[in-house]
Each structure stands twice: as structure tokens, then as C-alpha cells.
Coordinates of all heavy atoms in Angstrom, one line a residue:
M122 N -217.7 52.2 126.7 CA -218.5 52.5 125.5 C -217.8 53.6 124.7 O -217.2 54.5 125.3 CB -219.9 52.9 125.9 CG -220.6 51.8 126.6 SD -222.3 52.3 126.5 CE -223.0 50.8 126.0
R123 N -218.1 53.5 123.5 CA -217.6 54.5 122.6 C -218.5 55.7 122.6 O -219.7 55.6 122.6 CB -217.4 54.0 121.2 CG -216.3 53.1 121.1 CD -216.1 52.8 119.6 NE -214.8 52.3 119.4 CZ -214.4 51.7 118.3 NH1 -215.1 51.7 117.3 NH2 -213.2 51.3 118.3
R124 N -217.9 56.9 122.6 CA -218.6 58.1 122.5 C -218.7 58.5 121.0 O -217.7 58.5 120.3 CB -217.9 59.2 123.3 CG -218.7 60.3 123.8 CD -218.0 61.1 124.7 NE -217.8 62.4 124.1 CZ -217.0 63.3 124.4 NH1 -216.2 63.1 125.4 NH2 -217.0 64.5 123.8
R125 N -219.9 58.8 120.6 CA -220.1 59.2 119.3 C -219.9 60.7 119.1 O -220.5 61.5 119.9 CB -221.5 58.8 118.8 CG -221.7 59.0 117.4 CD -223.0 58.4 117.0 NE -223.2 58.7 115.6 CZ -224.4 59.1 115.1 NH1 -225.5 59.1 115.8 NH2 -224.5 59.4 113.8
L126 N -219.1 61.1 118.1 CA -218.9 62.5 117.9 C -219.9 63.1 117.0 O -220.2 62.5 115.9 CB -217.5 62.8 117.4 CG -216.3 62.5 118.3 CD1 -215.0 62.7 117.5 CD2 -216.4 63.4 119.5
D127 N -220.5 64.1 117.3 CA -221.4 64.8 116.4 C -220.7 65.9 115.8 O -220.4 67.0 116.4 CB -222.6 65.4 117.3 CG -223.7 65.9 116.4 OD1 -223.6 65.7 115.1 OD2 -224.6 66.6 116.9
Y128 N -220.3 65.7 114.5 CA -219.4 66.7 113.8 C -220.2 68.0 113.5 O -219.5 69.0 113.3 CB -218.9 66.0 112.5 CG -217.9 65.0 112.8 CD1 -218.2 63.7 112.6 CD2 -216.6 65.4 113.2 CE1 -217.2 62.7 112.9 CE2 -215.7 64.4 113.5 CZ -216.0 63.1 113.3 OH -215.0 62.1 113.6
H129 N -221.5 68.0 113.5 CA -222.2 69.2 113.2 C -222.1 70.2 114.3 O -222.1 71.4 114.1 CB -223.7 68.9 112.8 CG -223.8 68.0 111.6 ND1 -223.5 68.5 110.3 CD2 -224.1 66.7 111.4 CE1 -223.6 67.6 109.4 NE2 -224.0 66.5 110.1
N130 N -222.1 69.7 115.5 CA -222.1 70.6 116.7 C -220.7 70.6 117.4 O -220.6 71.1 118.5 CB -223.1 70.1 117.7 CG -224.5 70.3 117.2 OD1 -224.8 71.2 116.4 ND2 -225.4 69.4 117.6
H131 N -219.8 70.0 116.7 CA -218.4 69.9 117.3 C -217.7 71.3 117.3 O -217.6 71.9 116.2 CB -217.6 68.8 116.6 CG -216.2 68.7 117.1 ND1 -216.0 68.2 118.4 CD2 -215.0 69.0 116.6 CE1 -214.6 68.2 118.6 NE2 -214.1 68.7 117.5
R132 N -217.2 71.7 118.4 CA -216.4 73.0 118.4 C -215.0 72.6 118.6 O -214.6 71.7 119.4 CB -216.9 73.8 119.6 CG -218.3 74.3 119.5 CD -218.7 75.2 120.6 NE -218.0 76.4 120.4 CZ -217.8 77.3 121.4 NH1 -218.3 77.0 122.6 NH2 -217.2 78.4 121.2
P133 N -214.1 73.2 117.8 CA -212.7 72.8 117.9 C -212.1 73.3 119.2 O -212.5 74.3 119.8 CB -212.0 73.5 116.7 CG -213.0 74.6 116.4 CD -214.3 74.2 116.8
D134 N -211.1 72.5 119.7 CA -210.4 72.9 120.9 C -209.6 74.2 120.7 O -208.9 74.3 119.7 CB -209.5 71.7 121.3 CG -208.8 71.9 122.6 OD1 -209.2 72.8 123.4 OD2 -207.8 71.2 122.9
P135 N -209.8 75.2 121.6 CA -209.1 76.4 121.4 C -207.6 76.3 121.4 O -206.9 77.0 120.6 CB -209.6 77.3 122.6 CG -210.8 76.6 123.1 CD -210.7 75.2 122.7
L136 N -207.1 75.4 122.1 CA -205.6 75.2 122.1 C -205.1 74.7 120.8 O -204.1 75.1 120.3 CB -205.3 74.2 123.3 CG -203.8 74.0 123.5 CD1 -203.1 75.3 123.9 CD2 -203.5 72.9 124.5
I137 N -205.9 73.7 120.2 CA -205.5 73.2 118.9 C -205.6 74.3 117.8 O -204.7 74.4 117.0 CB -206.4 72.0 118.5 CG1 -206.3 70.9 119.5 CG2 -206.1 71.6 117.1 CD1 -205.0 70.2 119.6
V138 N -206.6 75.2 117.9 CA -206.8 76.3 117.0 C -205.6 77.2 117.1 O -205.0 77.7 116.2 CB -208.1 77.0 117.2 CG1 -208.2 78.3 116.4 CG2 -209.3 76.1 116.9
L139 N -205.2 77.5 118.4 CA -204.1 78.4 118.6 C -202.8 77.9 118.1 O -202.0 78.6 117.4 CB -203.9 78.7 120.1 CG -202.8 79.6 120.5 CD1 -203.0 81.0 120.0 CD2 -202.7 79.6 122.0
I140 N -202.5 76.6 118.3 CA -201.3 76.0 117.8 C -201.3 76.0 116.3 O -200.3 76.3 115.7 CB -201.2 74.5 118.4 CG1 -200.9 74.6 119.9 CG2 -200.1 73.8 117.7 CD1 -200.9 73.3 120.6
T141 N -202.4 75.7 115.7 CA -202.5 75.7 114.2 C -202.2 77.0 113.7 O -201.5 77.2 112.7 CB -203.9 75.2 113.8 OG1 -204.2 73.9 114.4 CG2 -204.0 75.1 112.3
L142 N -202.8 78.1 114.3 CA -202.6 79.4 113.8 C -201.1 79.9 114.0 O -200.5 80.5 113.1 CB -203.5 80.4 114.5 CG -205.0 80.3 114.1 CD1 -205.8 81.2 115.0 CD2 -205.2 80.7 112.7
L143 N -200.5 79.5 115.1 CA -199.1 79.8 115.3 C -198.2 79.1 114.3 O -197.3 79.7 113.8 CB -198.7 79.4 116.7 CG -199.2 80.3 117.8 CD1 -198.8 79.7 119.2 CD2 -198.7 81.7 117.7
I144 N -198.5 77.9 114.0 CA -197.7 77.1 113.0 C -197.9 77.8 111.6 O -196.9 78.0 110.9 CB -198.1 75.7 113.0 CG1 -197.6 75.0 114.2 CG2 -197.5 75.0 111.7 CD1 -198.1 73.6 114.4
A145 N -199.1 78.1 111.3 CA -199.4 78.7 110.0 C -198.7 80.1 109.9 O -198.3 80.5 108.8 CB -200.9 78.8 109.7
N146 N -198.7 80.8 111.0 CA -198.2 82.2 111.0 C -196.6 82.2 111.1 O -196.0 83.1 110.7 CB -198.8 83.0 112.1 CG -198.5 84.5 111.9 OD1 -198.3 84.9 110.8 ND2 -198.6 85.2 113.0
A147 N -196.1 81.1 111.6 CA -194.6 81.0 111.8 C -193.9 81.1 110.4 O -192.9 81.8 110.4 CB -194.2 79.7 112.4
G148 N -194.4 80.5 109.4 CA -193.7 80.7 108.1 C -193.7 82.1 107.6 O -192.7 82.6 107.1
T149 N -194.8 82.8 107.8 CA -194.9 84.2 107.4 C -193.9 85.0 108.2 O -193.2 85.9 107.7 CB -196.3 84.7 107.6 OG1 -197.2 83.9 106.9 CG2 -196.5 86.1 107.1
T150 N -193.9 84.8 109.5 CA -193.0 85.6 110.4 C -191.5 85.3 110.0 O -190.8 86.3 110.0 CB -193.2 85.2 111.9 OG1 -194.6 85.3 112.2 CG2 -192.4 86.0 112.8
M151 N -191.2 84.1 109.7 CA -189.8 83.8 109.4 C -189.4 84.5 108.0 O -188.3 85.0 107.9 CB -189.6 82.3 109.3 CG -189.7 81.6 110.6 SD -189.6 79.8 110.4 CE -188.1 79.5 111.2
A152 N -190.4 84.5 107.1 CA -190.1 85.1 105.8 C -190.0 86.6 106.0 O -189.1 87.3 105.4 CB -191.3 84.8 104.9
Q153 N -190.8 87.2 106.9 CA -190.6 88.6 107.2 C -189.3 88.9 107.8 O -188.6 89.9 107.5 CB -191.8 89.1 108.1 CG -193.1 89.2 107.4 CD -194.2 89.4 108.4 OE1 -194.1 89.4 109.6 NE2 -195.4 89.7 107.8
Q154 N -188.9 88.1 108.8 CA -187.6 88.3 109.4 C -186.4 88.2 108.4 O -185.5 88.9 108.5 CB -187.3 87.2 110.5 CG -188.2 87.5 111.7 CD -188.1 86.4 112.8 OE1 -187.4 85.3 112.5 NE2 -188.7 86.6 113.9
L155 N -186.5 87.2 107.5 CA -185.5 87.1 106.4 C -185.5 88.4 105.6 O -184.4 88.8 105.2 CB -185.8 85.9 105.6 CG -184.8 85.6 104.4 CD1 -183.4 85.3 105.0 CD2 -185.3 84.4 103.6
N156 N -186.7 88.9 105.2 CA -186.7 90.1 104.4 C -186.1 91.3 105.2 O -185.4 92.1 104.6 CB -188.2 90.5 104.0 CG -188.7 89.6 103.0 OD1 -187.9 88.9 102.2 ND2 -190.0 89.5 102.9
I157 N -186.4 91.4 106.5 CA -185.8 92.5 107.3 C -184.3 92.3 107.3 O -183.6 93.3 107.2 CB -186.4 92.5 108.7 CG1 -187.9 92.9 108.6 CG2 -185.7 93.4 109.6 CD1 -188.6 92.7 109.9
T158 N -183.8 91.1 107.5 CA -182.4 90.9 107.6 C -181.7 91.2 106.3 O -180.7 91.9 106.2 CB -182.1 89.4 108.0 OG1 -182.7 89.1 109.2 CG2 -180.6 89.2 108.1
T159 N -182.3 90.8 105.2 CA -181.8 91.1 103.8 C -181.7 92.6 103.6 O -180.7 93.1 103.1 CB -182.7 90.4 102.8 OG1 -182.7 89.0 103.1 CG2 -182.1 90.6 101.4
E160 N -182.8 93.3 103.9 CA -182.8 94.7 103.7 C -181.8 95.4 104.6 O -181.1 96.4 104.2 CB -184.2 95.3 103.9 CG -185.2 94.8 102.9 CD -184.8 95.2 101.5 OE1 -184.3 96.3 101.2 OE2 -184.9 94.3 100.6
A161 N -181.6 94.9 105.8 CA -180.6 95.5 106.7 C -179.2 95.3 106.2 O -178.4 96.2 106.2 CB -180.7 94.9 108.1
V162 N -178.9 94.1 105.6 CA -177.6 93.9 105.1 C -177.4 94.8 103.8 O -176.3 95.3 103.6 CB -177.4 92.4 104.7 CG1 -176.2 92.1 103.9 CG2 -177.4 91.6 106.0
K163 N -178.4 94.9 103.0 CA -178.3 95.8 101.8 C -178.0 97.2 102.2 O -177.3 97.9 101.5 CB -179.5 95.7 101.0 CG -179.7 94.5 100.2 CD -181.0 94.6 99.4 CE -181.4 93.3 98.7 NZ -182.7 93.4 98.0
S164 N -178.6 97.7 103.3 CA -178.4 99.1 103.7 C -177.2 99.4 104.5 O -176.8 100.5 104.8 CB -179.6 99.6 104.4 OG -179.8 99.0 105.6
T165 N -176.4 98.3 104.9 CA -175.3 98.5 105.8 C -174.1 99.3 105.1 O -173.7 100.3 105.8 CB -174.7 97.1 106.3 OG1 -175.8 96.5 107.0 CG2 -173.5 97.3 107.2
P166 N -173.7 99.0 103.9 CA -172.6 99.8 103.3 C -172.9 101.3 103.2 O -172.1 102.1 103.7 CB -172.4 99.2 102.0 CG -172.8 97.8 102.1 CD -174.0 97.9 103.1
P167 N -174.1 101.7 102.8 CA -174.4 103.2 102.7 C -174.4 103.8 104.2 O -174.0 104.9 104.4 CB -175.7 103.3 102.1 CG -175.9 102.0 101.3 CD -175.1 101.0 102.0
A168 N -174.9 103.0 105.1 CA -175.0 103.5 106.5 C -173.6 103.7 107.0 O -173.3 104.7 107.7 CB -175.7 102.5 107.4
I169 N -172.7 102.8 106.7 CA -171.3 102.9 107.2 C -170.6 104.2 106.6 O -169.9 104.9 107.2 CB -170.5 101.6 106.9 CG1 -170.9 100.5 107.7 CG2 -169.0 101.9 107.0 CD1 -170.3 99.2 107.4
V170 N -170.8 104.4 105.3 CA -170.3 105.5 104.6 C -170.8 106.8 105.2 O -170.1 107.8 105.5 CB -170.5 105.5 103.1 CG1 -170.2 106.8 102.4 CG2 -169.8 104.3 102.5
S171 N -172.1 106.8 105.5 CA -172.7 108.0 106.1 C -172.1 108.3 107.5 O -171.8 109.4 107.9 CB -174.2 107.8 106.3 OG -174.8 107.7 105.0
L172 N -171.9 107.2 108.3 CA -171.3 107.4 109.6 C -169.9 107.9 109.5 O -169.4 108.7 110.3 CB -171.3 106.1 110.4 CG -172.7 105.7 110.9 CD1 -172.7 104.2 111.5 CD2 -173.2 106.6 112.0
L173 N -169.1 107.4 108.5 CA -167.8 107.8 108.3 C -167.7 109.3 108.0 O -166.8 110.0 108.5 CB -167.1 107.0 107.3 CG -166.8 105.5 107.6 CD1 -166.2 104.8 106.4 CD2 -166.0 105.3 108.8
H174 N -168.6 109.7 107.1 CA -168.6 111.2 106.8 C -169.0 112.0 108.0 O -168.5 113.1 108.2 CB -169.6 111.4 105.6 CG -168.9 111.2 104.3 ND1 -167.9 111.9 103.8 CD2 -169.2 110.2 103.4 CE1 -167.5 111.5 102.6 NE2 -168.3 110.4 102.3
A175 N -169.9 111.4 108.8 CA -170.3 112.2 110.0 C -169.2 112.3 111.0 O -169.1 113.3 111.8 CB -171.5 111.4 110.7
G176 N -168.2 111.4 110.9 CA -167.1 111.5 111.8 C -166.0 112.5 111.3 O -165.0 112.7 112.0
G177 N -166.3 113.2 110.2 CA -165.4 114.2 109.7 C -164.3 113.7 108.8 O -163.4 114.5 108.4
M178 N -164.3 112.4 108.5 CA -163.3 111.8 107.6 C -163.9 111.2 106.4 O -165.0 110.6 106.5 CB -162.5 110.9 108.4 CG -161.7 111.5 109.6 SD -160.9 110.3 110.6 CE -159.6 109.7 109.5
T179 N -163.2 111.2 105.3 CA -163.7 110.5 104.1 C -163.5 109.0 104.3 O -162.6 108.6 105.1 CB -163.0 111.0 102.9 OG1 -161.6 110.7 103.0 CG2 -163.2 112.5 102.7
P180 N -164.2 108.1 103.5 CA -163.9 106.7 103.7 C -162.4 106.3 103.4 O -161.9 105.4 104.0 CB -164.8 106.1 102.6 CG -166.0 107.1 102.5 CD -165.3 108.4 102.7
S181 N -161.8 107.0 102.5 CA -160.4 106.7 102.2 C -159.5 107.0 103.4 O -158.5 106.3 103.7 CB -159.9 107.4 101.0 OG -159.9 108.8 101.2
D182 N -159.9 108.1 104.1 CA -159.1 108.4 105.4 C -159.3 107.3 106.4 O -158.3 106.9 107.1 CB -159.6 109.8 106.0 CG -159.2 111.0 105.1 OD1 -158.3 110.8 104.3 OD2 -159.9 112.0 105.2
W183 N -160.5 106.8 106.5 CA -160.8 105.8 107.5 C -160.0 104.5 107.1 O -159.5 103.8 108.0 CB -162.3 105.5 107.6 CG -163.0 106.5 108.5 CD1 -163.7 107.5 108.1 CD2 -162.9 106.5 109.9 NE1 -164.2 108.2 109.2 CE2 -163.7 107.6 110.4 CE3 -162.3 105.7 110.9 CZ2 -163.8 107.9 111.7 CZ3 -162.4 106.1 112.2 CH2 -163.2 107.2 112.6
I184 N -160.0 104.2 105.8 CA -159.3 103.0 105.4 C -157.8 103.1 105.7 O -157.2 102.1 106.1 CB -159.6 102.7 103.9 CG1 -161.0 102.3 103.7 CG2 -158.6 101.7 103.3 CD1 -161.5 102.2 102.3
T185 N -157.3 104.3 105.5 CA -155.9 104.5 105.8 C -155.6 104.3 107.3 O -154.7 103.6 107.7 CB -155.5 106.0 105.4 OG1 -155.7 106.1 104.0 CG2 -154.0 106.2 105.7
V186 N -156.5 104.9 108.1 CA -156.3 104.7 109.6 C -156.4 103.2 110.0 O -155.6 102.7 110.8 CB -157.4 105.5 110.3 CG1 -157.5 105.2 111.8 CG2 -157.1 107.0 110.1
L187 N -157.4 102.5 109.4 CA -157.6 101.1 109.7 C -156.4 100.3 109.3 O -156.0 99.3 109.9 CB -158.9 100.6 109.2 CG -160.2 101.2 109.8 CD1 -161.4 100.7 109.1 CD2 -160.3 100.8 111.3
T188 N -155.9 100.6 108.1 CA -154.7 99.9 107.6 C -153.5 100.1 108.5 O -152.8 99.1 108.8 CB -154.4 100.4 106.1 OG1 -155.5 100.1 105.3 CG2 -153.2 99.6 105.6
L189 N -153.3 101.3 108.9 CA -152.2 101.6 109.9 C -152.4 100.9 111.2 O -151.4 100.4 111.8 CB -152.0 103.1 110.1 CG -151.6 103.9 108.8 CD1 -151.6 105.4 109.1 CD2 -150.2 103.5 108.4
A190 N -153.6 100.8 111.7 CA -153.9 100.1 112.9 C -153.6 98.6 112.7 O -153.0 98.0 113.6 CB -155.3 100.3 113.4
Y191 N -154.0 98.1 111.6 CA -153.8 96.7 111.3 C -152.3 96.4 111.2 O -151.8 95.4 111.8 CB -154.5 96.3 110.0 CG -154.2 94.9 109.5 CD1 -154.8 93.8 110.1 CD2 -153.3 94.7 108.5 CE1 -154.6 92.5 109.6 CE2 -153.0 93.4 108.0 CZ -153.7 92.3 108.6 OH -153.4 91.0 108.2
L192 N -151.5 97.3 110.6 CA -150.1 97.1 110.5 C -149.4 97.1 111.9 O -148.5 96.4 112.2 CB -149.5 98.1 109.6 CG -149.7 97.9 108.1 CD1 -149.2 99.1 107.3 CD2 -149.0 96.6 107.6
A193 N -149.9 98.1 112.7 CA -149.3 98.2 114.1 C -149.6 96.9 114.9 O -148.7 96.4 115.6 CB -149.9 99.4 114.8
L194 N -150.8 96.4 114.7 CA -151.1 95.1 115.4 C -150.3 94.0 114.9 O -149.8 93.2 115.7 CB -152.6 94.8 115.3 CG -153.6 95.6 116.1 CD1 -155.0 95.3 115.6 CD2 -153.4 95.4 117.5
Q195 N -150.1 93.9 113.6 CA -149.2 92.8 113.1 C -147.8 92.9 113.6 O -147.2 91.9 113.9 CB -149.3 92.8 111.5 CG -150.6 92.4 111.0 CD -150.9 90.9 111.3 OE1 -150.1 90.1 111.3 NE2 -152.2 90.7 111.7
I196 N -147.3 94.2 113.5 CA -145.9 94.4 114.0 C -145.8 94.0 115.5 O -144.9 93.4 115.9 CB -145.5 95.8 113.7 CG1 -145.3 96.0 112.2 CG2 -144.2 96.2 114.5 CD1 -145.1 97.5 111.8
G197 N -146.8 94.5 116.3 CA -146.8 94.1 117.7 C -146.9 92.7 118.0 O -146.3 92.2 119.0
L198 N -147.5 91.9 117.1 CA -147.5 90.5 117.3 C -146.3 89.8 116.8 O -145.9 88.7 117.3 CB -148.7 89.9 116.6 CG -150.1 90.2 117.2 CD1 -151.2 89.8 116.3 CD2 -150.3 89.7 118.6
L199 N -145.6 90.3 115.8 CA -144.5 89.7 115.2 C -143.2 90.0 115.9 O -142.3 89.1 115.9 CB -144.4 90.0 113.7 CG -145.4 89.4 112.8 CD1 -145.2 89.9 111.3 CD2 -145.3 87.9 112.8
V200 N -143.0 91.2 116.4 CA -141.8 91.6 117.0 C -141.4 90.7 118.1 O -140.2 90.2 118.2 CB -141.8 93.1 117.4 CG1 -140.7 93.4 118.4 CG2 -141.8 94.0 116.2
P201 N -142.2 90.4 119.1 CA -141.8 89.4 120.2 C -141.4 88.1 119.6 O -140.5 87.4 120.2 CB -143.1 89.3 121.1 CG -143.9 90.5 120.8 CD -143.6 90.9 119.4
K202 N -142.1 87.6 118.6 CA -141.7 86.3 118.0 C -140.3 86.3 117.4 O -139.5 85.4 117.7 CB -142.8 86.0 116.9 CG -142.6 84.7 116.3 CD -143.7 84.4 115.2 CE -143.5 83.2 114.4 NZ -144.5 83.0 113.4
Y203 N -140.0 87.4 116.7 CA -138.7 87.5 116.1 C -137.6 87.8 117.1 O -136.5 87.3 117.0 CB -138.6 88.6 115.0 CG -139.3 88.1 113.7 CD1 -140.3 88.9 113.2 CD2 -139.0 86.9 113.1 CE1 -141.0 88.4 112.0 CE2 -139.6 86.5 112.0 CZ -140.6 87.2 111.4 OH -141.3 86.8 110.3
V204 N -137.9 88.5 118.2 CA -136.9 88.7 119.3 C -136.6 87.4 119.9 O -135.4 87.1 120.2 CB -137.5 89.7 120.3 CG1 -136.7 89.7 121.6 CG2 -137.6 91.1 119.7
E205 N -137.6 86.6 120.2 CA -137.4 85.2 120.7 C -136.5 84.4 119.8 O -135.6 83.7 120.3 CB -138.7 84.6 121.0 CG -138.6 83.2 121.7 CD -137.9 83.3 123.1 OE1 -138.1 84.3 123.8 OE2 -137.2 82.3 123.5
R206 N -136.8 84.4 118.5 CA -136.0 83.6 117.6 C -134.5 84.1 117.6 O -133.6 83.3 117.5 CB -136.6 83.7 116.2 CG -137.8 82.8 116.0 CD -138.2 82.8 114.5 NE -139.3 82.0 114.3 CZ -139.9 81.8 113.2 NH1 -139.4 82.5 112.1 NH2 -140.9 81.0 113.0
F207 N -134.4 85.5 117.6 CA -133.0 86.0 117.6 C -132.3 85.6 118.9 O -131.1 85.2 118.8 CB -133.1 87.6 117.6 CG -131.8 88.2 117.5 CD1 -131.0 88.2 116.4 CD2 -131.3 88.9 118.7 CE1 -129.7 88.8 116.4 CE2 -130.1 89.5 118.7 CZ -129.3 89.5 117.5
R208 N -132.9 85.6 120.0 CA -132.3 85.1 121.3 C -131.9 83.6 121.2 O -130.8 83.3 121.6 CB -133.2 85.3 122.5 CG -133.3 86.7 122.9 CD -134.2 86.9 124.1 NE -134.4 88.3 124.4 CZ -135.4 88.7 125.1 NH1 -136.4 87.9 125.5 NH2 -135.5 90.0 125.3
E209 N -132.8 82.8 120.6 CA -132.4 81.4 120.5 C -131.2 81.3 119.5 O -130.3 80.4 119.8 CB -133.6 80.7 119.9 CG -134.8 80.5 120.9 CD -136.0 79.9 120.3 OE1 -136.0 79.5 119.1 OE2 -137.0 79.8 121.0
W210 N -131.2 82.0 118.5 CA -130.1 82.0 117.5 C -128.8 82.4 118.2 O -127.8 81.7 118.0 CB -130.4 82.9 116.3 CG -129.3 82.9 115.3 CD1 -129.0 82.0 114.4 CD2 -128.3 84.0 115.2 NE1 -127.9 82.5 113.7 CE2 -127.5 83.7 114.1 CE3 -128.2 85.2 115.9 CZ2 -126.4 84.5 113.8 CZ3 -127.1 86.0 115.5 CH2 -126.3 85.7 114.4
R211 N -128.8 83.4 119.0 CA -127.6 83.9 119.7 C -127.1 82.8 120.6 O -125.9 82.6 120.8 CB -127.8 85.2 120.4 CG -127.8 86.4 119.4 CD -127.9 87.7 120.1 NE -126.8 87.9 121.1 CZ -126.8 88.8 122.0 NH1 -127.8 89.5 122.2 NH2 -125.8 88.8 122.9
E212 N -128.1 82.2 121.4 CA -127.7 81.2 122.3 C -127.0 80.0 121.6 O -126.0 79.4 122.1 CB -128.9 80.7 123.1 CG -129.4 81.7 124.1 CD -130.6 81.3 124.8 OE1 -131.1 80.1 124.6 OE2 -131.2 82.1 125.6
R213 N -127.6 79.6 120.5 CA -127.0 78.4 119.7 C -125.7 78.8 119.2 O -124.7 78.0 119.2 CB -128.0 78.0 118.6 CG -129.1 77.2 119.0 CD -129.8 76.7 117.8 NE -130.1 77.8 116.8 CZ -131.2 78.1 116.3 NH1 -132.3 77.4 116.6 NH2 -131.4 79.1 115.5
R214 N -125.5 80.1 118.7 CA -124.3 80.5 118.1 C -123.2 80.6 119.2 O -122.0 80.3 119.0 CB -124.5 81.9 117.5 CG -123.3 82.3 116.7 CD -123.7 83.6 115.9 NE -122.5 84.0 115.2 CZ -122.0 85.2 115.3 NH1 -122.6 86.1 116.1 NH2 -120.9 85.6 114.7
G215 N -123.6 81.0 120.4 CA -122.7 81.1 121.6 C -122.2 79.8 122.0 O -121.1 79.6 122.5
D216 N -123.0 78.7 121.9 CA -122.7 77.4 122.3 C -121.6 76.8 121.4 O -120.8 76.0 121.9 CB -123.9 76.5 122.3 CG -124.9 76.8 123.4 OD1 -124.5 77.5 124.3 OD2 -126.1 76.4 123.2
R217 N -121.5 77.2 120.2 CA -120.5 76.7 119.3 C -119.1 77.3 119.5 O -118.1 76.6 119.3 CB -120.8 77.1 117.8 CG -122.0 76.3 117.3 CD -122.2 76.7 115.9 NE -123.6 76.3 115.5 CZ -124.2 76.7 114.4 NH1 -123.5 77.5 113.5 NH2 -125.4 76.3 114.1
S218 N -119.0 78.5 120.1 CA -117.7 79.1 120.3 C -116.9 78.5 121.4 O -117.2 77.9 122.3 CB -117.9 80.6 120.6 OG -118.6 81.2 119.6

């Protein structure tokens, strides 16, 4: 037999209410997280400059240091490659003689 629902005395299922509230609140939470992330990204450059000054060096000094470190890494990666090519070249040249 069918059960007749009495809509006047019907109480919603608490689990359904909870899920509905979570879904409705999820959009707000995601929007808040996006705002927090956006504001964090906006404040990152000034924070980096402040940290660089706290380290006792100006930003141009840090850029110089980072550029030199980058060059050292590039040289460190390229030198073995060119040494290997030079060895191969000498071996080929020696084979002709």
C-alpha cells in the first residue's frame, strides 16, 4: 500500500538538510579560498622585497647573486658536455692519422 505523505507535518531529513547546506556553502567557501589565494599572490612581491632587505642585501644584490648562481649551474652542466665532445673529436682526428 502506498503511504500518504502529510506535507504539513513533514520534517526534513537532517542528513538531506546537512548535505544541502554543505552544497550551498561550498560555493561561498571556494570563492573565499580564491580571494585568499588572489590576495596572497598580490602580496608576494612586496613580501619578497621585505625579506631580501631583512637579509641585509638590496634586491639588486640578490639578483646579482642569483644570476651568478645560474651562470655557475649552466657552466657546470655545459662543461662536461663539451669535454665529451672534445674527446670524441680527438678520437676521430686520431683515427685519420
Side-chain angles (χ1 to χ4, degrees):
M122 295 198 132
R123 287 190 162 168
R124 204 170 113 195
R125 186 172 176 219
L126 292 175
D127 186 9
Y128 289 107
H129 298 289
N130 293 328
H131 178 70
R132 296 182 70 200
D134 185 15
L136 186 60
I137 300 295
V138 171
L139 178 64
I140 291 171
T141 305
L142 288 173
L143 287 174
I144 291 171
N146 196 20
T149 304
T150 304
M151 293 173 116
Q153 288 172 348
Q154 288 175 353
L155 181 62
N156 287 340
I157 291 170
T158 305
T159 304
E160 293 303 318
V162 169
K163 286 181 185 177
S164 66
T165 299
I169 290 173
V170 171
S171 298
L172 287 172
L173 294 178
H174 278 292
M178 296 173 70
T179 64
S181 64
D182 293 339
W183 280 104
I184 289 172
T185 302
V186 168
L187 292 174
T188 301
L189 292 174
Y191 175 78
L192 286 173
L194 287 171
Q195 289 298 318
I196 290 169
L198 291 172
L199 288 176
V200 166
K202 182 178 175 182
Y203 285 126
V204 167
E205 182 64 31
R206 283 187 178 179
F207 180 72
R208 285 183 185 153
E209 290 173 3
W210 176 77
R211 281 187 58 197
E212 288 175 7
R213 283 190 308 232
R214 189 170 176 237
D216 290 341
R217 289 185 197 165
S218 301

